[in-house]
Amino acid sequence: MNTLIQDCINSKFSKTPIWLMRQAGRYLPEFRSIREKNQDFIELCLNTKLSSEITIQPINRFGFDAAIIFSDILLVPYALGQQVNFKKNFGPDLNKFDLNILNDVKKEDFLEKLNPVYETVKETKKKLSISNKDTIGFVGAPWTLLLYMLNRKSPKEGNFTIFPKDKYINSILMKLDQFLKIHIEAQIRSGASIIQIFDSWAGLLPEKDLDYFVYKPIKSLVDFIRQRKTISICFPRNINSYKKFVDYVNPDIISIDYNVDPSIIRDTIEIPVQGGLDPKILLQNKEIVRNEVTKYLKTFDKKRYIFNLGHGVLPETNPDMIRYLVDEVRSFNGQ
Ligand code: CP3
């Protein structure tokens, strides 16, 4: 039997599928209680028992149509030999990058370090097997990872310099392409039915640099995923032209941010669309939430649309509002 997302892609409309980026996380008390006892975030991501439990928490509570594996895009730099720490109220903090270390990484060692993630995918798949839901694996896009690896912390808008397209940068991008494919393949082999590619910082680049840093590297991954008969979702956050991105990269599904007008997306893009709702809306009252949810559902009515947000669920979100959101999306379908 197909999942709701597969049906949506094949234009078999029943219900609008819904899942949320960062659906497993700090807004959930059941996550916070595990997190309090596990201070090291990377270690938590590499604890199969706990990460598969965290992955399933929002499914048990809200019945989302897909589970995204509880892990992080920065586990790849970690497995490539760069230390990553998550500091409270600061975000990720990476050690100095060293190309010599990256050049020495062996495929076997990389796979061994990340093996608990693949076990989490298997465990999640097992837990979902009777409920016919998708298991979503993911990677950070090469550009966003390159930025974290060289900037060593979250880039603030305007507070970073774009790298030259020289031999040094090119060799890092080539290595990322190679190891991201290894990571994608292992997640698919373990049971991921969808791979989402997060390019959270695509919007920082000027138009002239997109080809080199965004379109080409992501297309290479999308083609790889397609060869393995797996669904790809791309999220090039805050990019100026989603149309140009889709025309070049041609993923199965495009995930949009909240700054773009959804009716322009609907009128210019043919492929299935995901997301859009501003996560800050979920901090407002129910009437505002209902109006905004209805706006997205009406805009994409009779189109292939997967309900999601324009970025991750904020930690201060009340879980009752997520319950309300899911009920609203489900009842719109029932009309
Ligand atoms: O539920 C899910 O979406 C699955 C798990 C997931 C996490 N991170 C868990 C997480 C996913 C898919 C990610 C992706 C990720 N990680 C991205 C791309 C999406 C985006 O948000 O733009 C990025 C840029 C990262 C890097 C990262 N990880 C940052 C910048 C931070 C710190 C900021 C923050 O929100 O705390 C993290 C930490 C992180 N990743 C947390 C979670 C649940 C919070 C950790 C904590 O409990 O302190």
Side-chain angles (χ1 to χ4, degrees), residues 21-26 31 35 41 68-74 86 91-92 138 148 154 198 200 311:
M21 291 186 262
R22 288 285 175 93
Q23 63 189 22
R26 282 171 297 184
F31 171 77
R35 182 74 169 103
F41 182 70
I68 182 157
I69 296 302
F70 180 77
S71 171
D72 200 273
I73 63 166
L74 298 179
F86 286 86
F138 65 86
Y148 277 108
S154 289
F198 286 94
S200 306
H311 203 183

Side-chain angles (χ1 to χ4, degrees), residues 114-145:
L114 294 183
N115 192 52
V117 176
Y118 312 132
E119 291 301 319
T120 301
V121 179
K122 284 184 199 160
E123 204 51 44
T124 303
K125 183 92 177 169
K126 228 190 278 170
K127 290 184 182 170
L128 291 178
S129 62
I130 42 162
S131 58
N132 199 38
K133 295 177 189 294
D134 280 293
T135 303
I136 305 182
F138 65 86
V139 292
W143 159 247
T144 287
L145 289 181

Side-chain angles (χ1 to χ4, degrees), residues 143-235:
W143 159 247
T144 287
L145 289 181
L146 178 76
L147 199 48
Y148 277 108
M149 288 160 78
L150 297 184
N151 206 50
R152 299 167 54 198
K153 56 182 177 347
S154 289
K156 292 249 157 39
E157 252 108 325
N159 185 17
F160 79 103
T161 40
I162 294 172
F163 316 116
K165 298 172 193 130
D166 59 13
K167 238 176 106 181
Y168 176 73
I169 294 296
N170 198 54
S171 54
I172 306 173
L173 286 174
M174 290 295 107
K175 280 282 168 193
L176 283 172
D177 181 72
Q178 179 193 340
F179 281 100
L180 288 173
K181 285 173 178 167
I182 292 169
H183 192 40
I184 288 170
E185 172 130 66
Q187 293 182 74
I188 294 174
R189 281 218 183 123
S190 307
S193 52
I194 298 178
I195 299 290
Q196 174 147 329
I197 302 171
F198 286 94
D199 212 350
S200 306
W201 298 109
L204 292 181
L205 287 164
E207 192 73 30
K208 66 171 178 42
D209 289 324
L210 288 175
D211 202 54
Y212 180 84
F213 287 111
V214 173
Y215 300 161
K216 284 199 172 103
I218 297 187
K219 185 169 170 41
S220 170
L221 301 180
V222 163
D223 290 346
F224 182 85
I225 297 165
R226 183 162 288 135
Q227 283 159 13
R228 280 148 192 80
K229 308 211 180 323
T230 302
I231 295 168
S232 62
I233 306 178
C234 287
F235 180 44

Side-chain angles (χ1 to χ4, degrees), residues 4-47:
L4 276 191
I5 295 179
Q6 286 160 345
D7 274 349
C8 170
I9 291 178
N10 296 325
S11 302
K12 283 186 205 135
F13 298 110
S14 46
K15 284 180 172 175
T16 300
I18 174 170
W19 70 278
L20 305 179
M21 291 186 262
R22 288 285 175 93
Q23 63 189 22
R26 282 171 297 184
Y27 76 104
L28 284 179
E30 57 267 40
F31 171 77
R32 287 199 303 270
S33 95
I34 294 182
R35 182 74 169 103
E36 271 163 24
K37 295 177 224 124
N38 296 271
Q39 290 296 317
D40 188 322
F41 182 70
I42 297 271
E43 233 171 65
L44 179 58
C45 292
L46 295 174
N47 180 327

